[in-house]
Amino acid sequence: MTNSAGDFAIRIGVQLQPQHSSHYGYIRDAVRRCEDIGVDVAFNWDHFYPLYGDPDGAHFECWTMLGAWAEQTSRIEIGALVSCNSYRNPELLADMARTVDHISEGRLILGIGSGWMRKDYDEYGYAFGTAGSRLDDLAAALPRIRSRLAVLNPAPTRRIPILIGGQGERKTLRLVAEHADIWHGFTNATTYPGKAEVLARHCADTGRDPGTVERSSGVEGRDPQTLVANAEALARLGVTLMTVGCDGPDYDLGPAEALLRWRDSRSGN
């Protein structure tokens, strides 16, 4: 079955969006609460300005925050959903990832994508290019990241899992088949099956078992009934990493708690 994602256990993620919090303490508290309630993965994102609400509102940077999370937690996995490939030299990004991997004692997920937010590029002086050129840059960067990880001293504590975000059928899903441990397709239960079929074809072309790619998705809805229904639909399709977004400054973890209850009841815990 091409939509199958192997034997991965269902995990619950929270994306703590680093926007609209003028004091880092709110985010520190939120990531600790995520760990306390049993969330499996805490993500942030790699932007320089809020994606919604006040476009010039408060916002914090991604990777320095991940370094802090590595010290502020002890169990939960951490990562960006996702890093923008355009913002850092690939060898530097590999070294940053290796360092956070060590600080966290092996809990980093290296999320990466080709980038899309025009304002980030323009305000910080990066060349925006085109969607195609940014994907070509990502294709060139991924082998460089793996090569640099292989020669760093000290080496990473584990083979750092790479999560690729995106759903473009010709280039992005080919990169997932070639390089990703986890695929976050920004899909839902309606759009996921078609994209999964395309990924399966790319896996066949590259000689990879599609079941070795863990499937990740956001879960739509805020009320518990809608969330659980959407999560169940995704799980039936083979998605195992389910993530809800959480906005500052309050970082309400109610949706995450609902998904954790669903996950635990589903597994019989």
Side-chain angles (χ1 to χ4, degrees), residues 68-208:
W69 286 5
E71 285 283 8
Q72 290 158 4
T73 59
S74 60
R75 176 195 60 79
I76 198 169
E77 286 193 285
I78 58 175
L81 190 62
V82 290
S83 296
C84 176
N85 176 65
S86 305
Y87 301 158
R88 300 164 193 88
N89 167 280
E91 281 77 15
L92 172 62
L93 180 60
D95 204 343
M96 293 165 62
R98 182 279 307 257
T99 300
V100 176
D101 166 71
H102 271 265
I103 297 169
S104 67
E105 298 182 318
R107 293 182 289 118
L108 178 75
I109 295 171
L110 177 51
I112 193 166
S114 60
W116 63 274
M117 183 66 172
R118 180 82 191 230
K119 182 176 180 178
D120 288 345
Y121 285 78
D122 290 346
E123 293 287 343
Y124 277 63
Y126 295 104
F128 189 59
T130 66
S133 69
R134 294 192 299 276
L135 279 164
D136 290 343
D137 289 343
L138 178 60
L142 286 163
R144 292 170 59 183
I145 289 169
R146 281 294 190 202
S147 293
R148 180 57 53 182
L149 287 170
V151 299
L152 289 169
N153 183 15
T157 67
R158 64 170 178 169
R159 185 182 185 276
I160 298 173
I162 290 179
L163 177 154
I164 293 179
Q167 56 175 277
E169 296 186 2
R170 188 168 66 90
K171 291 186 176 182
T172 303
L173 293 179
R174 176 76 181 199
L175 293 176
V176 171
E178 292 175 340
H179 299 286
D181 301 286
I182 308 168
W183 167 48
H184 188 92
F186 300 98
T187 55
N188 55 34
T190 301
T191 60
Y192 172 84
K195 300 297 182 179
E197 290 289 346
V198 174
L199 176 58
R201 291 197 294 270
H202 283 302
C203 286
D205 290 342
T206 59
R208 183 174 184 184

Side-chain angles (χ1 to χ4, degrees), residues 4 10 25-26 52 103 105 183 189 193 221 228 238-239 252-253 263:
S4 174
I10 290 178
Y26 292 117
Y52 52 88
I103 297 169
E105 298 182 318
W183 167 48
V228 167
V239 176
D252 175 14
L253 298 183
R263 188 271 312 273

